[in-house]
Amino acid sequence: MATEQQQFYLLLGNLLSPDNNTRKQAEETYENIPGPSKITFLLQAIRNAAAAEEVRQMAAVLLRRLLSSSFEEVYPSLPAEVQNAIKSELLLVIQLETQSSMRKKICDIVAELARNLIDDDGNNQWPEALKFLFDSVSSQDVGLREAALHIFWNFPGIFGNQQQHYLEVIKRMLVQCMQEQDHPMIRTLSARAAAAFVLANEHNVPLLKHFSDLLPGILQKTKETINIHVLIIFSVPQMLTMMVDLEDDEDWSNADELEDDDFDSNAVAGESALDRMACGLGGKIVLPMIKEHIMQMLQNPNWKYRHAGLMALSAIGEGCHRQMEGILNEIVNFVLLFLQDPHPRVRYAACNAIGQMATDFAPGFQKKFHEKVIASLLQTMEDQANPRVQAHAAAALINFTEDCPKSLLVPYLDNLVNHLHSIMVVKLQELIQKGTKLVLEQVVTSIASVADTAEEKFVPYYDLFMPSLKHIVENAVQKELRLLRGKTIECISLIGLAVGKEKFMQDASDVMQLLLKTQTDFNDLEDDDPQISYMISAWARMCKILGKEFQQYLPVVMGPLLKTASIKPEVALLDTQDMENMSDDDGWEFVNLGDQQSFGIKTAGLEEKATACQMLVCYAKELKEGFADYTEQVVKLMVPLLKFYFHDGVRVAAAESMPLLLECARVRGPEYLTQMWHFMCDALIKGIGTEPDSDVLSEIMHSFAKCIEVMGDGCLNNEHFEELGGIMKSKLEEHFKNQELRQVKRQDEDYDEQVEESLQDEDDNDVYILTKVSDILHSIFSSYKEKVLPWFEQLLPLIVNLICPHRPWPDRQWGLCIFDDVVEHCSPSSFKYVEYFLRPLLQSICDNSPEVRQAAAYGIGVMSQFGGENYRSFCTEALPLLVGVIQAPDSKTKENINATENCISAVGKIMKFRPDCINVEEVLPHWLSWLPLHEDKEEAVHTFNFLCDLIERYKQILYSSQMEYKN
């Protein structure tokens, strides 16, 4: 028996194996074990504390599932003494179990068995369970009290026909637990159990009245936790119930055209609501409320519940990210089991959950689960009988590979390529014979994603795929195949980019001809043709591959590209009646303006417009000289798009294009360059002043800084400086005000970890804008030098405030960076501000924050290099502080190394530019021992330049010494 039990442990482990063959064989072996033997083995595994935790949890899940789906076939046939032993064992294991999540699973088994042991007359054939319940709820052991309440919540009908007899005892038990002061979880579980008991007896009016005085306790617990918890308690089950509202469709598995989600359906509405709730309230609140519901659904024999449970896991991943990370191993192992579920729609939902987790938890998900997930998805992609499942497994593989580190994917390339190629061959034949294309579309995208991640490692597989892909583009010309053709064009261009010009050139001519043929027909394509966006992106990739050789194709691609980038969305101001007459199918989105009016915009084409703008940026970046002739046309297109409030992607691309377009315009001469700058300048400054969205604002600010560097001294007139000064002052004042408001929120009575997460996000956004303020000032100082100091003085008090000791470290870091620029670009005039920044800078060399230390050390370096004689004594004072940082025990750790290398560089600059400040002969041997620099590339250049100077300076001495030695 002991040997059989050991074999059963191995079997449980194999059921969790990432290897599909091992797992499938284990499932077949498990199914062939007689029911009574299963119960014995499973119960033994559960109570064996020495067994692996995941094996015990698997045993618990299987035992509950067995009792739920096969109780009548298994349990009644057991001898009475075996039945009694099982019941006794379960109650004993609960008392001995120390691991909370395992205890809950055992409680689930007890509740399931108790549910099945209520006979047709309502008699509870397990009176010992009731005694255990009453004893445990009064126990001093908190774990036992939690267990009793968990069982009661799971099965509130456990008292059967004796419920009326025990009514007062039940009520007293719940009231007593609700008043528990030392253990909040007891209060939570009792409130949950009370709610479940009331709902289970919702038609028993006298009972509801009798238990009505429990309501204040439930509400009090709700208030203690958070006011919206009671809403979640009741709304989450409703959302999940909606998600179960699915229709049986015999043709579902073989459908070749995917209909858009029916947003009016209960299932989609419930899933969307769950997603919004998780994102809005966060995992700290939502996950504990929903986890048990989902686990019960996943164990339900009805496929609709298992499907809904898996889709719910997909929906909450983004909002519950931080909380799910801690239990991701358990979740992934469990979800992978459902890739073998007997129902294809459950397997589909499991693929969906894996794909969503691969996105939500990347790249940690890929690093932890690459072996299990890749093997499982490839196995699922072999499901020839269910193309919808095949296609969704391929889609999940795309999600996985997109964010997978190259080093992790490369060992699987042979296996991935073999599977993808064999499936592609089969599906190409099916396309020819039957016209089916769904799986082929996803497989082509999977190939593209694998190549994109593998890069040059994909070269050996290039010839395996390229002929078939070219064949598809050449022959898939029917309207119903346009998405397949577009995805294949994308795949070819991504493979070309991955393998490089040398390998791709053997097919480049053919591919370009295919693209040119499609481009020729571009004007005949419908506005919503999916090939358009794929073509636009493919041309840009071809430009990256071919480099200057691509210039010959610009006349061909620029026309349609400019046309797409110039799409003007249809907008309308409508009253409520008109809005209702316009269906969502027409692609309109509406914003309610009040007074029975709504603003509507037709969103069709906006993504293509954004893609086209991004591709124009790509051409400007790759083909500066060749793109010069298009500069004026593109600038006139892009500048108004800075105010294109309908789509942030369009605006970001427009902002990003500005400095690149100036670089292109420079090729045509100074006059043309100035003309282009006049188009841009006012729009950029106004964009900085009015833009509230941090992502768009930061890109506009970054581009403005780069433009100033391109244009140099004289690019801004007095009006520009005046307007810009007011804007920069406003941004800094807003920064300080926002920090104060966040501190006030931290003192609020509703402040908790969830609020802090939100405040941290706001703070990160503010700091990012602060970095862009610093970028603009850097560009202005580097271009205008000391001439700009009178203008800068209006900002000086705010910059000084940034470096006060009480400010957060990012403020001090960027404040010091601004003063570093003043010293570097405006010396010797910078010395008149020394009273404002020098003491804070010297003190910051030893700051706790490595980022602040780095900014301070850089400041000492530029002070010695550019500051002049006035800074002499301060360079001397800084030296021992710099040495102290360099020689600290943890100076070379990952978080400290950049600050340390800036200190080393600063010491080198002092020796090079201010040798009169220190004893160079004493410091030099130490400095040489600290080399080389590895992390900070810019400072490494300064350091090695000085090292070369030293070698040049001392080589004659070394040569003379060598000659003396020989003589």
Side-chain angles (χ1 to χ4, degrees):
M1 187 67 180
T3 303
E4 290 180 348
Q5 187 68 42
Q6 289 299 323
Q7 291 175 346
F8 190 74
Y9 288 148
L10 292 174
L11 178 63
L12 291 175
N14 288 339
L15 287 172
L16 293 165
S17 171
D19 181 77
N20 289 303
N21 292 329
T22 302
R23 192 168 63 248
K24 188 173 183 180
Q25 187 176 354
E27 288 167 357
E28 292 174 356
T29 304
Y30 176 78
E31 289 302 322
N32 291 326
I33 298 174
S37 299
K38 281 182 184 174
I39 291 180
T40 302
F41 288 137
L42 290 170
L43 192 54
Q44 180 65 25
I46 290 168
R47 74 179 211 175
N48 184 0
E53 189 64 30
E54 60 183 19
V55 168
R56 295 181 68 219
Q57 293 201 8
M58 178 58 131
V61 169
L62 291 174
L63 182 53
R64 174 171 178 167
R65 187 180 296 175
L66 183 65
L67 294 174
S68 172
S69 61
S70 307
F71 179 83
E72 292 299 333
E73 293 86 349
V74 176
Y75 190 85
S77 62
L78 295 173
E81 63 272 14
V82 175
Q83 293 182 7
N84 290 332
I86 291 170
K87 292 186 284 189
S88 299
E89 280 290 324
L90 286 171
L91 298 179
L92 178 62
V93 173
I94 290 177
Q95 298 173 68
L96 297 176
E97 183 58 52
T98 58
Q99 213 275 338
S100 176
S101 63
M102 188 64 194
R103 188 191 301 116
K104 285 182 181 178
K105 286 183 170 56
I106 301 166
C107 290
D108 291 340
I109 298 170
V110 169
E112 190 61 46
L113 182 55
R115 183 180 286 111
N116 283 284
L117 290 177
I118 302 288
D119 65 18
D120 294 339
D121 297 323
N123 296 307
N124 187 325
Q125 301 174 61
W126 192 6
E128 297 85 358
L130 296 181
K131 183 176 186 306
F132 171 80
L133 216 60
F134 291 130
D135 290 344
S136 297
V137 85
S138 304
S139 170
Q140 296 299 310
D141 187 325
V142 177
L144 287 179
R145 276 184 278 165
E146 290 181 1
L149 290 167
H150 189 86
I151 292 170
F152 185 45
W153 166 67
N154 209 319
F155 181 38
I158 194 169
F159 296 96
N161 58 17
Q162 294 295 304
Q163 180 173 290
Q164 190 64 32
H165 175 72
Y166 287 114
L167 216 53
E168 284 300 327
V169 179
I170 295 170
K171 183 177 178 181
R172 191 162 57 249
M173 172 185 77
L174 293 172
V175 169
Q176 177 185 339
C177 291
M178 283 186 193
Q179 295 173 348
E180 172 64 62
Q181 296 300 314
D182 296 330
H183 302 287
M185 183 52 70
I186 297 294
R187 296 203 303 276
T188 300
L189 288 170
S190 59
R192 189 183 296 174
F197 184 69
V198 169
L199 287 173
N201 293 278
E202 59 181 333
H203 301 299
N204 188 337
V205 176
L207 182 145
L208 295 180
K209 289 182 178 178
H210 186 63
F211 276 74
S212 62
D213 52 352
L214 265 68
L215 185 59
I218 296 174
L219 294 177
Q220 177 61 32
K221 177 56 195 171
T222 301
K223 182 179 179 182
E224 289 174 6
T225 311
I226 187 167
N227 292 333
I228 54 176
H229 269 203
V230 70
L231 172 65
I232 299 172
I233 288 171
F234 288 103
S235 63
V236 164
Q238 296 304 316
M239 294 175 191
L240 294 173
T241 300
M242 292 173 70
M243 292 174 67
V244 177
D245 187 8
L246 300 164
E247 294 183 7
D248 284 297
D249 181 358
E250 292 182 1
D251 299 326
W252 179 91
S253 290
N254 293 301
D256 197 54
E257 289 286 347
L258 299 184
E259 297 180 2
D260 292 334
D261 286 338
D262 182 2
F263 288 100
D264 292 330
S265 73
N266 280 341
V268 172
E271 183 180 343
S272 300
L274 194 58
D275 181 16
R276 288 192 297 272
M277 176 178 281
C279 290
L281 302 180
K284 184 180 177 184
I285 296 171
V286 173
L287 188 60
M289 295 287 186
I290 198 173
K291 184 181 174 186
E292 293 298 331
H293 289 289
I294 291 177
M295 296 306 290
Q296 289 179 32
M297 295 176 81
L298 294 178
Q299 297 170 40
N300 196 299
N302 187 329
W303 73 266
K304 296 180 181 181
Y305 285 84
R306 301 196 301 279
H307 179 281
L310 290 165
M311 296 304 286
L313 269 179
S314 301
I316 66 173
E318 182 182 1
C320 300
H321 186 279
R322 182 173 296 182
Q323 289 71 25
M324 285 178 66
E325 271 190 323
I327 55 172
L328 203 55
N329 190 58
E330 178 184 346
I331 293 173
V332 171
N333 285 334
F334 202 49
V335 171
L336 287 175
L337 295 176
F338 289 93
L339 290 175
Q340 302 292 325
D341 193 275
H343 201 285
R345 294 187 69 172
V346 177
R347 299 198 295 277
Y348 175 96
C351 291
N352 195 80
I354 292 295
Q356 191 63 51
M357 286 190 289
T359 298
D360 290 339
F361 298 96
F365 181 90
Q366 284 80 351
K367 291 177 181 178
K368 290 181 182 177
F369 307 113
H370 51 90
E371 184 177 0
K372 298 177 182 178
V373 169
I374 290 176
S376 298
L377 290 178
L378 289 179
Q379 178 67 28
T380 308
M381 285 173 65
E382 299 292 340
D383 189 358
Q384 298 287 352
N386 297 281
R388 287 282 292 274
V389 177
Q390 271 188 297
H392 218 48
L397 185 64
I398 294 165
N399 288 13
F400 184 90
T401 53
E402 279 180 343
D403 293 304
C404 186
K406 177 179 174 182
S407 59
L408 291 181
L409 192 69
V410 168
Y412 299 99
L413 274 180
D414 279 342
N415 196 20
L416 281 166
V417 165
N418 289 336
H419 274 81
L420 291 170
H421 183 254
S422 63
I423 295 171
M424 186 177 78
V425 170
V426 172
K427 296 305 170 182
L428 267 173
Q429 289 300 314
E430 288 184 9
L431 175 66
I432 295 167
Q433 295 166 6
K434 305 178 186 177
T436 55
K437 62 194 180 303
L438 176 65
V439 180
L440 186 56
E441 288 171 354
Q442 291 289 15
V443 167
V444 165
T445 306
S446 298
I447 295 165
S449 181
V450 169
D452 189 39
T453 299
E455 296 178 316
E456 79 285 352
K457 298 294 183 182
F458 198 78
V459 169
Y461 313 107
Y462 174 89
D463 295 321
L464 193 63
F465 290 106
M466 192 54 67
S468 298
L469 294 170
K470 286 162 57 181
H471 176 81
I472 294 173
V473 175
E474 192 169 3
N475 294 282
V477 294
Q478 300 93 326
K479 183 176 180 180
E480 62 271 18
L481 299 180
R482 58 190 188 177
L483 179 59
L484 170 63
R485 194 166 186 268
K487 288 188 171 189
T488 308
I489 289 170
E490 175 189 55
C491 182
I492 289 173
S493 62
L494 280 168
I495 289 176
L497 202 59
V499 301
K501 183 176 180 179
E502 183 178 349
K503 180 65 178 176
F504 185 64
M505 283 307 290
Q506 67 191 53
D507 292 292
S509 177
D510 290 346
V511 171
M512 294 302 291
Q513 290 307 310
L514 289 171
L515 292 179
L516 286 168
K517 185 177 185 307
T518 306
Q519 191 74 46
T520 302
D521 302 330
F522 200 98
N523 291 330
D524 298 328
L525 300 179
E526 297 175 12
D527 288 343
D528 63 346
D529 193 312
Q531 292 179 90
I532 294 174
S533 61
Y534 289 116
M535 276 293 302
I536 289 171
S537 299
W539 278 122
R541 293 190 195 101
M542 298 303 294
C543 176
K544 287 183 179 179
I545 297 167
L546 299 178
K548 290 187 176 181
E549 294 176 32
F550 186 82
Q551 287 182 198
Q552 60 184 303
Y553 302 107
L554 272 180
V556 179
V557 302
M558 284 298 291
L561 190 60
L562 288 167
K563 177 184 174 183
T564 306
S566 302
I567 291 173
K568 289 187 171 128
E570 190 176 344
V571 297
L573 190 64
L574 306 166
D575 60 31
T576 304
Q577 185 62 46
D578 290 335
M579 187 189 76
E580 290 174 354
N581 292 335
M582 300 176 72
S583 69
D584 292 338
D585 294 339
D586 292 330
W588 283 83
E589 289 186 4
F590 301 96
V591 177
N592 193 318
L593 301 177
D595 296 328
Q596 303 296 307
Q597 284 193 320
S598 295
F599 173 80
I601 175 172
K602 194 167 187 179
T603 57
L606 290 187
E607 285 300 328
E608 287 77 10
K609 182 183 181 75
T611 301
C613 290
Q614 290 160 5
M615 297 310 104
L616 286 170
V617 172
C618 177
Y619 292 141
K621 187 181 298 183
E622 297 291 330
L623 302 170
K624 285 189 174 61
E625 294 182 7
F627 199 73
D629 291 340
Y630 299 95
T631 306
E632 184 174 357
Q633 191 176 1
V634 176
V635 168
K636 288 181 177 179
L637 165 68
M638 289 293 200
V639 168
L641 295 183
L642 291 172
K643 296 181 181 179
F644 192 82
Y645 294 104
F646 306 128
H647 197 289
D648 283 350
V650 171
R651 304 175 69 203
V652 167
E656 187 183 355
S657 72
M658 298 299 166
L660 296 168
L661 292 171
L662 287 178
E663 292 284 358
C664 296
R666 178 181 277 166
V667 176
R668 304 249 325 243
E671 185 177 336
Y672 189 71
L673 178 66
T674 303
Q675 180 186 348
M676 295 301 101
W677 171 241
H678 285 320
F679 280 127
M680 299 178 185
C681 187
D682 289 339
L684 285 167
I685 292 176
K686 284 180 172 55
I688 295 169
T690 59
E691 176 53 51
D693 182 270
S694 61
D695 290 337
V696 178
L697 172 60
S698 62
E699 191 58 53
I700 292 175
M701 295 177 79
H702 178 75
S703 294
F704 182 66
K706 291 295 181 185
C707 285
I708 293 172
E709 290 178 11
V710 172
M711 297 303 298
D713 188 1
C715 64
L716 300 174
N717 59 33
N718 291 336
E719 290 76 16
H720 291 150
F721 267 118
E722 184 177 351
E723 186 176 4
L724 182 62
I727 292 170
M728 300 285 273
K729 185 177 179 182
S730 172
K731 294 297 179 189
L732 289 168
E733 289 172 344
E734 184 181 357
H735 175 81
F736 295 128
K737 182 180 178 180
N738 290 345
Q739 284 185 339
E740 291 174 5
L741 291 174
R742 285 193 287 273
Q743 286 303 108
V744 170
K745 290 179 181 179
R746 288 185 172 98
Q747 307 305 317
D748 192 273
E749 62 179 12
D750 293 329
Y751 173 77
D752 60 9
E753 183 181 338
Q754 198 72 35
V755 174
E756 180 58 31
E757 286 184 27
S758 176
L759 296 179
Q760 285 292 339
D761 289 340
E762 292 176 16
D763 190 62
D764 290 344
N765 288 334
D766 271 4
V767 169
Y768 194 55
I769 299 303
L770 179 60
T771 69
K772 300 308 169 187
V773 169
S774 175
D775 285 349
I776 291 175
L777 290 174
H778 169 81
S779 298
I780 290 175
F781 286 132
S782 62
S783 298
Y784 281 83
K785 310 300 182 185
E786 67 273 4
K787 288 187 295 185
V788 83
L789 288 177
W791 170 83
F792 169 69
E793 286 175 4
Q794 66 179 307
L795 304 177
L796 183 60
L798 296 166
I799 308 300
V800 171
N801 193 28
L802 284 172
I803 62 174
C804 289
H806 67 277
R807 304 301 310 173
W809 69 260
D811 284 17
R812 291 182 285 122
Q813 174 194 9
W814 292 105
L816 288 174
C817 286
I818 292 169
F819 278 115
D820 291 348
D821 280 324
V822 172
V823 174
E824 181 172 356
H825 299 291
C826 305
S827 290
S829 301
S830 66
F831 192 74
K832 63 182 175 180
Y833 306 116
V834 74
E835 62 179 295
Y836 300 114
F837 72 86
L838 198 50
R839 280 297 133 203
L841 187 146
L842 289 168
Q843 291 164 2
S844 296
I845 295 173
C846 302
D847 195 88
N848 289 331
S849 164
E851 291 84 358
V852 175
R853 293 200 301 275
Q854 181 174 352
Y858 182 83
I860 297 298
V862 296
M863 189 186 301
S864 60
Q865 184 173 359
F866 301 105
E869 183 63 25
N870 287 331
Y871 287 102
R872 182 177 183 278
S873 63
F874 301 110
C875 293
T876 304
E877 185 178 348
L879 182 64
L881 301 175
L882 295 169
V883 173
V885 173
I886 296 166
Q887 294 182 338
D890 60 348
S891 66
K892 296 298 180 69
T893 60
K894 183 178 180 180
E895 62 271 19
N896 291 327
I897 186 63
N898 279 308
T900 301
E901 291 195 351
N902 269 262
C903 289
I904 295 169
S905 176
V907 173
K909 289 175 182 176
I910 294 173
M911 288 192 292
K912 180 174 182 177
F913 299 106
R914 306 298 316 176
D916 54 328
C917 293
I918 59 172
N919 185 335
V920 175
E921 291 185 3
E922 181 182 338
V923 175
L924 184 58
H926 296 285
W927 184 79
L928 291 170
S929 72
W930 300 330
L931 301 183
L933 305 190
H934 297 285
E935 299 299 321
D936 195 316
K937 301 297 186 290
E938 291 184 12
E939 293 310 303
V941 172
H942 289 291
T943 299
F944 291 123
N945 281 340
F946 178 47
L947 188 61
C948 291
D949 290 345
L950 289 174
I951 293 171
E952 286 292 324
R953 188 183 308 171
Y954 292 110
K955 69 178 181 181
Q956 186 59 45
I957 299 172
L958 293 171
Y959 177 76
S960 300
S961 300
Q962 187 179 33
M963 293 304 295
E964 287 179 14
Y965 176 76
K966 286 183 177 179
N967 291 335

